[in-house]
Amino acid sequence: MKKIVALFCGVLFGTGLMLSGLADPAKVIGFLNVSLMLSGEWDPTLLFVMSGGLAVYLPLYLLVVKPRAQAKLGPVFDKCYHLPSKRAIDAPLVIGSALFGLGWGMIGICPGPSIVNLAHLDLPMVLFVVAMIAGAYIGRQMNRTLPLTASSRQ
Amino acid sequence: MFSSYVIALCGGVLVGLGAILLLLLNGRIAGISGILSGALWGSDDSKTQAKGLGWQWYFLGGLLLSGAIMGAPLEAIFGLAPIELSSVSQSTPLLLISGVLVGLGCAIGSGCTSGHGICGVGRLSPRSIVATLVFMVMGIISAVVFH
């Protein structure tokens, strides 16, 4: 059942990415490139994506998941919620997020849309995903070996 | 027919629904970089996992499925233009560098747009709020420089 739920949630999530425009690199760049404000061509619509997502996620988390997790209750199909346990705002978090932002702004693709767009098997997207997996592998090894990040895997 | 803002808002609601249902039903965070890494190399709590493909592969399969089948209906109903990937293919080296940075950054920073931006901010996690601010600001700087 967990796997059917995961598949269904993946379809919902991916459809949302497509509908919102987040899966379209040109749209993402049109949002991130704020210099377009000067010419009046800046596209703010992606702000609405995050707003829509949070409008659903935040209240249900606060009203259902958080109280249940505090009462040691679990989700429907598992014994407990698998929530991140890290709290520290540390160097790996900031440096990693900065590197991710740098890469995201270059092309306009982040991990979710890369997988959604992979369905078309276009060569550029395949290359991007292969490079992304290579980067993730390097990052994983760094997390394991560098003392700074050794304890910070989620 | 539909305002682009309303369409984007509806898309965001679907993303949020997919993410919160995964948490409500399975107790899992819908962070794509983490799910991809978990699918390929296992997550830290997967030692006791059952045999067969992990749940992560099914979520990724759902993403692929949406990409494969939802393009035409969304185009018909909302008049969305098909996604044009030519804008990303002009420079293969840039594409590869971007991919490596995205993969590396998400692994070191423990998350991406979905894990930090929706699920983390949606849990009011200070870590994720900081991460989201950092990658948004860097993304803006990078997009301005490269475009």
Side-chain angles (χ1 to χ4, degrees):
Chain A
M1 195 60 205
K2 273 193 263 189
K3 289 171 176 176
I4 297 170
V5 169
L7 182 76
F8 176 73
C9 289
V11 172
L12 270 185
F13 197 99
T15 306
L17 289 180
M18 295 171 75
L19 185 58
S20 65
L22 203 65
D24 183 349
K27 187 117 177 149
V28 173
I29 295 301
F31 169 71
L32 288 178
N33 186 358
V34 292
S35 69
L36 293 170
M37 278 181 188
L38 297 174
S39 56
E41 289 170 333
W42 181 60
D43 179 0
T45 50
L46 291 195
L47 281 176
F48 290 76
V49 185
M50 201 166 180
S51 312
L54 290 177
V56 174
Y57 203 94
L58 188 62
L60 283 167
Y61 173 76
L62 291 178
L63 295 174
V64 181
V65 177
K66 196 176 181 190
R68 283 182 65 86
Q70 279 168 348
K72 303 281 177 208
L73 295 168
V76 178
F77 299 115
D78 206 340
K79 292 188 203 75
C80 62
Y81 293 100
H82 303 268
L83 298 172
S85 52
K86 280 188 284 178
R87 294 284 176 271
I89 294 167
D90 49 13
L93 179 82
V94 174
I95 294 168
S97 299
L99 291 176
F100 163 51
L102 181 66
W104 187 35
M106 284 179 174
I107 301 284
I109 308 171
C110 54
S114 77
I115 305 296
V116 172
N117 289 329
L118 195 61
H120 304 295
L121 289 176
D122 288 328
L123 184 63
M125 200 52 65
V126 174
L127 288 176
F128 180 90
V129 170
V130 170
M132 182 175 77
I133 289 172
Y137 184 78
I138 297 166
R140 193 178 159 84
Q141 297 307 316
M142 286 170 72
N143 285 342
R144 287 181 165 183
T145 49
L146 295 182
L148 195 62
T149 58
S151 60
S152 63
R153 276 293 300 166
Q154 274 185 5
Chain B
M1 185 161 57
F2 294 95
S3 151
S4 60
Y5 298 115
V6 176
I7 293 177
L9 194 68
C10 292
V13 166
L14 280 184
V15 169
L17 266 180
I20 197 68
L21 283 176
L22 192 69
L23 186 61
L24 287 170
L25 298 174
N26 287 4
R28 295 289 178 175
I29 296 291
I32 311 305
S33 54
I35 288 177
L36 184 62
S37 156
L40 291 169
W41 303 299
S43 49
D44 288 349
D45 62 341
S46 67
K47 276 131 202 155
T48 54
Q49 208 175 336
K51 52 210 162 293
L53 289 179
W55 66 272
Q56 291 97 338
W57 284 107
Y58 289 81
F59 189 89
L60 295 175
L63 289 182
L64 277 172
L65 191 62
S66 65
I69 64 171
M70 296 307 290
L74 291 180
E75 197 181 339
I77 300 168
F78 296 99
L80 290 187
I83 288 168
E84 191 55 69
L85 292 181
S86 59
S87 61
V88 305
S89 62
Q90 284 159 3
S91 165
T92 303
L94 195 67
L95 188 77
L96 293 175
I97 293 167
S98 164
V100 169
L101 283 173
V102 167
L104 179 67
C106 293
I108 296 176
S110 321
C112 58
T113 344
S114 49
H116 281 313
I118 298 288
C119 301
V121 175
R123 292 185 302 114
L124 300 178
S125 151
R127 261 175 72 84
S128 290
I129 292 170
V130 168
T132 304
L133 287 174
V134 170
F135 70 64
M136 288 302 295
V137 168
M138 278 307 290
I140 286 170
I141 293 171
S142 169
V144 170
V145 169
F146 285 95
H147 295 274

